[in-house]
Amino acid sequence: MAATACRTAVYYGPVINPESLTCFQALSQCLIAVGPDGNILWIETDIAKCNLEATLEERGLCHDNHMLVVLKPGEFIMPGFVDSHIHACQIPNLGLGGDDQLLDWLKNTVFPTEARFKDTEYATRAYPDIVNRVINSGTTTACYYGSLHLEATKILANIIHAKGQRAFVGKCNMDRNDDYPCYVEPCAAESMETMKCLIAHIQGLSCTGAGEALVHPIITPRFALSCTVDLLTRLGDFAETVPDMAIQTHIAENPKEVEEVRKLFPCISSYAGVYDHFKLLRNNTILGHGVWLTDEEMKLIAARGAGVAHCPASNFFLSSGMAQVGKMLDYGVKVGLGTDVAGSNNPSMLYTIQMASTASKMVAIQSKEGEHGRFTNKRLETAALLYLATLGGADLCCLKHRIGSFKRGKAFDALLVSIRDDTGNPAVWGYNRDRDLDEGPYPQCAEKNLKEWLQRFFYCGDSRNIRRVFVQGALVGGQEFQC
């Protein structure tokens, strides 16, 4: 069960706070006060340690009405990661099938794995470990795809709720599967009925102390190839009745997939046009991948206010290609990052950040004499990667007003990160008090050096560097978390 706060918690030390694709704050002496409801009460951005007690007193905090956490040298706080595309039921096949491309991989590896979740006892055994791995990787908000099974996906939602993660949970709608016919729903009507049952179940889960639901239902047509016209029509009609409910699906991940969609819907001009035709493309639609989107599709997605979950690790693993993320951003498409486990071979958003950096550099290298814009065909710099993994993902999920950065009134969804040598990560040349000069509470922690800490974490870090994971102010995971 997630830990819960009972009084104001105050965190003092270095803080990274994203602002835009090009800018973030690197605050070396920051105070963040979090209320018992898990929302941020106030932030002081530049408080010297000698003024700490006086500042707390000015804010009305005495010794017995708050908990003060002073970060160690080599530690900093940043917003939690938003994984905008992950298949919980595929983590058991991590790393398998990488010799195949998408459609063969689904048939040979994924569908057999997902079919196992028909067994609710298996789901009960597997999902706790799956969710733990995701949380401990620093993901405070996740957009989960479950299998097509109602009961197993209820179990997934229950476990996420009990562990205190913020999430969207959807049961795959798929009444078409010619490649693996033993893993398919019998008809559109049953697909809709089980989806509605899951929605009711999730909406019945209890709220936090702030009166806020952390686990949300999400409409989840797997992708256009897995849905009949009847099912897509029913899903679009239902979506119109719940305009605030998010939608997630896949788009233009692989050239063969795009070709098959064109054959299946010959009268519709594009893949994005299919979703638009069936009223499934709107401001809270999250489209996975978008590797092979045309310019016209990007313009359509932007016009509808929808967005793309960029999944570079998966796109490399399955030889799908490299998404034109910079062009999407220039067209005004909302973009976040997704692990797309098990298309990716790693549930860590840090690994996804590293792959997003590599993909953008490769796109830039291949396009030296091609089209350019503010972001088009340019590498994603650290500020952009930070934004996509946090505030951009929050925007994609229509949660930017609640999470993704630190601001008064927003939820404290955060990571306490350490680049100290005692984390045991040999790739990070971090702080070591026996080796490095200890000059004050945060040695070498000017803005420049804090930005270097972030780079070390992003490009060399792993879950060992994530010491604590907070959602809505509650400690829910990390290396220092004990159930």
Side-chain angles (χ1 to χ4, degrees), residues 238-280:
F238 175 77
E240 280 194 310
T241 70
V242 284
D244 293 331
M245 189 172 294
I247 301 167
Q248 63 181 357
T249 190
H250 298 75
I251 192 169
E253 180 177 353
N254 171 278
K256 181 69 181 302
E257 168 208 6
V258 174
E259 179 185 343
E260 293 299 316
V261 169
R262 286 176 181 157
K263 291 179 182 177
L264 196 59
F265 302 94
C267 297
I268 301 177
S269 60
S270 69
Y271 202 154
V274 172
Y275 294 130
D276 194 45
H277 175 81
F278 289 103
K279 300 176 290 190
L280 294 169

Side-chain angles (χ1 to χ4, degrees), residues 152-205:
T153 312
K154 284 182 180 179
I155 291 168
L156 172 62
N158 292 344
I159 289 167
I160 294 165
H161 177 258
K163 292 184 179 295
Q165 189 182 34
R166 194 182 302 273
F168 295 83
V169 181
K171 180 199 74 66
C172 277
N173 296 105
M174 48 183 300
D175 65 341
R176 182 203 302 273
N177 191 350
D178 296 335
D179 289 331
Y180 199 79
C182 62
Y183 185 63
V184 66
E185 295 176 297
C187 64
E190 181 168 320
S191 181
M192 293 298 298
E193 182 60 29
T194 52
M195 179 192 72
K196 292 175 183 178
C197 288
L198 177 67
I199 290 171
H201 176 79
I202 292 174
Q203 290 176 336
L205 297 174

Side-chain angles (χ1 to χ4, degrees), residues 384-397:
L385 294 166
L386 172 66
Y387 181 86
L388 296 180
T390 56
L391 200 53
D395 191 21
L396 180 59
C397 297

Side-chain angles (χ1 to χ4, degrees), residues 17-19 40 79 390-391 400 402-407 410-411:
N17 196 23
E19 294 184 311
I40 297 172
T390 56
L391 200 53
K400 193 175 183 179
R402 293 294 296 132
I403 61 170
S405 65
F406 300 130
K407 185 178 180 181
K410 295 181 75 167

